[in-house]
Amino acid sequence: MEDYNKIIESLGIRFLKANNIKILQTFTISNFQDSENVLILLRKGKMKFDKGGEEIPEGSALFIPANRELSIDYGHTSRRTPVIDAEEFAFRQAEFFHTQEKDPGTTPIAEITMVTFEAKVFDTVNFFTSLNIPPFSFENAKVNGIIFDIVKEKGAMAHGSERVIKLKTEHLVVEVVRHIIDNNLFVEQMATNSTYFKDPRLIKVFRYIKDNLGGELSNKMLAKVAGVSEDYVGQYFKMLTGINPQDYIEYQRMEYALELLRTTKMKIRDIGRTCGYKDTAYFCRRFKMMFGIPAGKMRKRETLMNV
């Protein structure tokens, strides 16, 4: 229990976006993915995930850790149900999602509330992703209440709303962690993958990578930061995290690129350079490979979801 408390205390939690969404027609998105954690609360209608597998009851939430890919069915799906990928969804989102409160002009087939947030250990590592927790659905009245409060505050934007949303988002993450622990979910993954949070050398490397995403991040440099040999640093990093350091660096660079797409009007070539990619074409190819859609369409999708 003490270890869990230390981990929770180490989390840097940040609200990103939230919306009440009306689903206008039945469809399947084949490869949903977000660079940050997503909670989707099903208020009304039908919803399944993992290729028509597990159905989510009304009043339950689907939790999707950052960078986890899955399929989601909205409505009563059949063989005739449109199946679209992430790239097509970014282009056609308005046909399926309505994010404003006014009448969309048609009766929705489902209603959801979606909250996206960041949860990083020492502000560097995606917590839920690092634990290798898969997407899962659950019913929790406290979580539902906090989700509703966040959306309400976001809509009101009264004095102090940003502060309230920050506190509510922190409470939301704590309740999700409590639900996992109290229900003994993913015990093996958490026991196996939480150990590296205690290694100060690795945390130092994580922080160095975060602060130098636009620069050179060779294994030689990481070895110097960690205080290990260049020949050993890759093995050391992978032994503790399950991923080699250069793959981890690319994940961090792509997360930073997505953050810049969400929050700035920087040109895509400038975002690539800021994130350490001198070749814009190569950056665009890697971005699409990582997220399933081009950077320009991702920016459009993120803009629409914040309406």
Side-chain angles (χ1 to χ4, degrees), residues 1 4 7-8 11 37-39 61-66 117 119 127-140 143 171-191 194:
M1 182 61 72
Y4 288 133
I7 291 171
I8 291 171
L11 292 180
N37 309 285
V38 179
L39 264 171
L62 171 62
F63 177 61
I64 309 170
F117 61 89
F127 173 62
F128 295 104
T129 305
S130 68
L131 294 178
N132 200 29
I133 291 175
F136 68 97
S137 64
F138 66 106
E139 185 174 1
N140 186 297
V143 168
H171 189 186
L172 179 65
V173 174
V174 170
E175 289 298 338
V176 171
V177 175
R178 283 176 175 173
H179 181 88
I180 290 171
I181 295 170
D182 292 346
N183 290 276
N184 293 314
L185 301 176
F186 320 117
V187 174
E188 184 176 345
Q189 291 98 316
M190 292 187 73
S194 63

Side-chain angles (χ1 to χ4, degrees), residues 224-249:
K224 184 177 180 180
V225 173
V228 300
S229 71
E230 183 179 351
D231 291 337
Y232 177 64
V233 69
Q235 180 184 344
Y236 160 76
F237 193 97
K238 189 169 183 178
M239 177 178 64
L240 292 176
T241 67
I243 186 174
N244 72 61
Q246 293 307 315
D247 284 345
Y248 173 79
I249 289 166

Side-chain angles (χ1 to χ4, degrees), residues 84-96 293-294 297-298 300-301 304:
I84 62 175
D85 61 19
E87 181 174 355
E88 186 178 359
F89 179 68
F91 182 71
R92 300 174 56 193
Q93 184 168 280
E95 297 177 32
F96 302 98
I293 61 176
K297 289 186 178 180
M298 177 67 84
K300 181 179 179 181
R301 188 190 84 171
L304 287 171

